[in-house]
Amino acid sequence: MLKLDSINKLQYIIMFMQKRTYFPLLLIICILGSFLVMFQSCKKDEEIRILKIRTDTIINISTSSAVAKGTIIDIGGNEIIKYGHCWADSPTPTIYEDITDLGSRSTTGSYTSSITELSPGTVYYVRSYATNGEGTTYGNQIDFITNSELPTV
């Protein structure tokens, strides 16, 4: 009996298939399949855009209020349904704390928020935020201290 290793088995199968009418059909299927895989893998991926936002500065700081500035750099793939600033007296504020809600937006650009009902002489942390269909994105964090109340004389 003839022993066949794996290379010889493959050659034997190819020789057997060449004698049959299946070989040209099998060869065409393999070639077409290879081209299909090659063209599918070369297909250009769609550009993925993500929401980009920045907290710019805090101005007009008083004992109980301030004005926050932010910029929407890229709206991403979906329209912004809510944006503004969030703040807290502890780091990393989120939209589940104090916020301004400036509504929806479909363009990039700067905006301002009035932050009110603050306590005098307190450190606050502020971040810009924007929410779209993908979720909420936050800008960098900025901290500031409200002015202290002046003693009455």
Side-chain angles (χ1 to χ4, degrees):
M1 184 164 157
L2 180 62
K3 280 190 158 182
L4 299 174
D5 61 17
S6 60
I7 293 174
N8 288 335
K9 286 180 186 177
L10 182 59
Q11 288 174 341
Y12 177 77
I13 291 170
I14 291 171
M15 285 182 358
F16 176 77
M17 293 301 289
Q18 285 176 337
K19 293 180 182 178
R20 305 281 181 213
T21 58
Y22 302 112
F23 184 74
L25 181 60
L26 182 62
L27 184 61
I28 291 171
I29 291 172
C30 288
I31 291 171
L32 289 175
S34 297
F35 280 119
L36 181 63
V37 169
M38 185 175 72
F39 287 124
Q40 189 69 10
S41 64
C42 293
K43 185 178 174 183
K44 184 177 179 182
D45 291 333
E46 290 184 27
E47 181 181 334
I48 298 173
R49 292 180 54 207
I50 58 172
L51 180 59
K52 294 177 188 165
I53 192 165
R54 179 180 65 227
T55 310
D56 293 326
T57 189
I58 309 296
I59 60 171
N60 300 338
I61 301 168
S62 72
T63 56
S64 62
S65 66
V67 174
K69 292 187 171 190
T71 302
I72 297 171
I73 300 164
D74 190 332
I75 63 166
N78 297 312
E79 181 177 342
I80 293 170
I81 56 176
K82 183 177 178 180
Y83 73 103
H85 289 90
C86 55
W87 69 93
D89 58 4
S90 58
T92 320
T94 68
I95 59 170
Y96 302 108
E97 297 172 81
D98 291 318
I99 66 165
T100 59
D101 182 352
L102 301 175
S104 63
R105 185 172 180 150
S106 60
T107 60
T108 60
S110 300
Y111 63 93
T112 61
S113 296
S114 294
I115 300 174
T116 59
E117 299 181 23
L118 304 177
S119 298
T122 304
V123 176
Y124 286 96
Y125 302 87
V126 178
R127 295 196 295 174
S128 296
Y129 78 89
T131 303
N132 64 13
E134 300 296 316
T136 300
T137 298
Y138 295 95
N140 51 301
Q141 178 177 282
I142 294 178
D143 62 88
F144 71 97
I145 301 174
T146 52
N147 296 336
S148 296
E149 288 185 299
L150 296 174
T152 53
V153 180

